Amino acid sequence: EVQLQQSGPEVGRPGSSVKISCKASGYTFTDYVMNWVKQSPGQGLEWIGWIDPEYGSTDYAEKFKKKATLTADTSSNTAYIQLSSLTSEDTATYFCARGMNSGYGDYWGQGVMVTVSS
Amino acid sequence: DIQMTQSPASLSASLGETVTIECLASEDIYSNLAWYQQKPGKSPQLLIYYANSLNDGVPSRFSGSGSGTQYSLKINSLQSEDVSIYFCQQNYDSPRTFGGGTKLELK
């Protein structure tokens, strides 16, 4: 059974960084890209980017190029997103989603709530 | 960036009714379109990919159609468990943009 288990909720101070994990199981981690998606409270979905765990290659939406850093550890089948220079605009739920074919998110993590507060 | 415009933003329908949600892309996306369902407090779930392919385990009352810039999601015989927010997403070009969502409620 494919599962994506994300880490727990985070609280970050303005200007700090947080790192969220997404541990994959039930499939070959390097066979699929991993998408990351942001959902601000009561809002829609924003695609942040994806990482190909096999090669470490990444693709980011322009808006998130200076905000997010995507990495993957093939030894632990875990993908990560680090969010830097946190502001109130970063308060949101962040999802990882396995990308099948050209990136369709066929399995999703449960989401991680990040709250930016002083 | 490719803009995805979903309509309507909200929709109220009765049990057993057929509903249709539309998604308009700002340029041709060559059927590289997905539909997701998101229930309150839950992660999105993939319903349809490549515009009209039903994802495993998705009830057959859901169907997708369209080409070029215009796409639609149809739900036949609406069930209570279909109350959700529905999003489209284009997978043709980067960034993989989403539509604004359609909130479906029961009348």
Side-chain angles (χ1 to χ4, degrees):
Chain A
E1 179 192 6
V2 173
Q3 290 190 340
L4 299 177
Q5 183 63 42
Q6 294 188 243
S7 48
E10 296 273 358
V11 177
R13 298 276 188 256
S16 70
S17 298
V18 296
K19 191 171 185 178
I20 298 165
S21 66
C22 171
K23 184 170 176 60
S25 60
Y27 71 99
T28 302
F29 184 57
T30 50
D31 281 353
Y32 297 82
V33 302
M34 190 69 77
N35 294 286
W36 288 89
V37 174
K38 176 184 180 182
Q39 187 167 38
S40 300
Q43 301 300 311
L45 303 171
E46 285 186 275
W47 183 79
I48 296 171
W50 72 26
I51 183 166
D52 183 335
E54 182 171 14
Y55 302 107
S57 53
T58 54
D59 185 22
Y60 295 90
E62 189 67 36
K63 174 181 178 181
F64 293 99
K65 281 184 177 177
K66 294 184 178 180
K67 173 60 61 178
T69 302
L70 305 182
T71 56
D73 179 357
T74 56
S75 68
S76 62
N77 293 342
T78 303
Y80 299 92
I81 180 170
Q82 180 165 323
L83 303 168
S84 62
S85 303
L86 292 174
T87 72
S88 59
E89 297 292 306
D90 299 318
T91 293
T93 297
Y94 293 83
F95 296 98
C96 59
R98 190 182 80 163
M100 72 173 210
N101 295 359
S102 62
Y104 298 109
D106 61 345
Y107 288 90
W108 292 63
Q110 80 274 23
V112 174
M113 180 69 200
V114 173
T115 303
V116 180
S117 174
S118 55
Chain B
D1 297 2
I2 297 175
Q3 306 302 315
M4 305 300 292
T5 303
Q6 249 182 273
S7 62
S10 62
L11 179 57
S12 183
S14 302
L15 292 174
E17 200 174 322
T18 295
V19 301
T20 300
I21 299 168
E22 309 279 347
C23 194
L24 177 67
S26 60
E27 61 184 82
D28 196 329
I29 57 172
Y30 301 94
S31 296
N32 287 283
L33 183 101
W35 290 98
Y36 298 91
Q37 176 192 59
Q38 186 178 31
K39 298 187 178 183
K42 300 293 187 182
S43 308
Q45 300 293 311
L46 179 66
L47 298 174
I48 303 284
Y49 60 98
Y50 284 135
N52 59 16
S53 295
L54 198 66
N55 194 29
D56 291 345
V58 175
S60 58
R61 64 179 180 275
F62 291 90
S63 63
S65 63
S67 62
T69 62
Q70 296 184 297
Y71 299 87
S72 61
L73 172 71
K74 188 164 80 169
I75 310 172
N76 286 316
S77 188
L78 187 70
Q79 305 294 304
S80 58
E81 61 263 32
D82 300 334
V83 170
S84 299
I85 301 177
Y86 293 85
F87 295 95
C88 61
Q89 182 198 24
Q90 63 84 14
N91 277 275
Y92 176 66
D93 196 15
S94 182
R96 302 293 206 241
T97 40
F98 288 91
T102 296
K103 186 175 184 179
L104 175 59
E105 298 175 318
L106 282 179
K107 192 180 292 182

